[in-house]
Structure formats: C-alpha cells, structure tokens
Amino acid sequence: MVKTYKVKLNEISKFQQFVNGCVVFSQVSLTGRHGKFIVDAKSVMGLLSLDLSEPVTIEAEADTEKELEAFDKWVTVLV
C-alpha cells in the first residue's frame, strides 16, 4: 500500500517535527521526491539535499492499512 503527500518543510520547526516524528513509524517506508531527486525521507541529509523552498512529495509505503493510517493521521496534522 502506497500513499502520496505534498509536505512543505520550508520552516525549521516543520522540518524538525517531520524528521523527529518519522522515527515512530519504523514500519512505514518513506521516500522524498522533488523534481528528479529521490531520497530516503527519514534521512536528515537526504531531505536537506532537496529544494525545501518548494513542497516535497512524500511517498509512504506500508504492509498494512493500520500502519499507513497512523502515518496518515500524523502527517495530515503536519501539512
């Protein structure tokens, strides 16, 4: 199961909240995309290599609907 989100990480507080919150979702694979660049969205260095002045596309993939729903509730508050 895969779900896609557009997340603005252009504020340091949102960036910190996203990076710190991702630790909780160990069963969810997160990929960040901007343009042609694809990075591990749980990686601080990976995310910093993207252009954060624009929204980043985050793809969340999980084996179960329950895991994806938990991430969905969390990231929706962040967005």
Side-chain angles (χ1 to χ4, degrees):
M1 302 175 169
V2 178
K3 193 156 184 187
T4 304
Y5 306 89
K6 287 282 190 183
V7 180
K8 288 190 112 182
L9 301 174
N10 58 344
E11 297 173 19
I12 195 75
S13 61
K14 282 193 174 191
F15 181 82
Q16 287 176 326
Q17 187 178 8
F18 182 81
V19 171
N20 292 336
C22 285
V23 175
V24 175
F25 302 101
S26 61
Q27 299 300 318
V28 179
S29 174
L30 299 173
T31 305
R33 296 175 183 263
H34 187 268
K36 64 180 180 179
F37 299 101
I38 302 170
V39 299
D40 177 359
K42 292 183 180 181
S43 164
V44 173
M45 294 303 290
L47 286 173
L48 288 175
S49 69
L50 299 177
D51 178 7
L52 297 179
S53 66
E54 299 290 327
V56 175
T57 301
I58 302 293
E59 289 183 357
E61 183 175 356
D63 292 333
T64 69
E65 185 73 31
K66 184 178 178 181
E67 295 165 345
L68 205 52
E69 284 177 6
F71 180 77
D72 185 63
K73 287 179 185 177
W74 175 76
V75 80
T76 303
V77 171
L78 182 65
V79 178

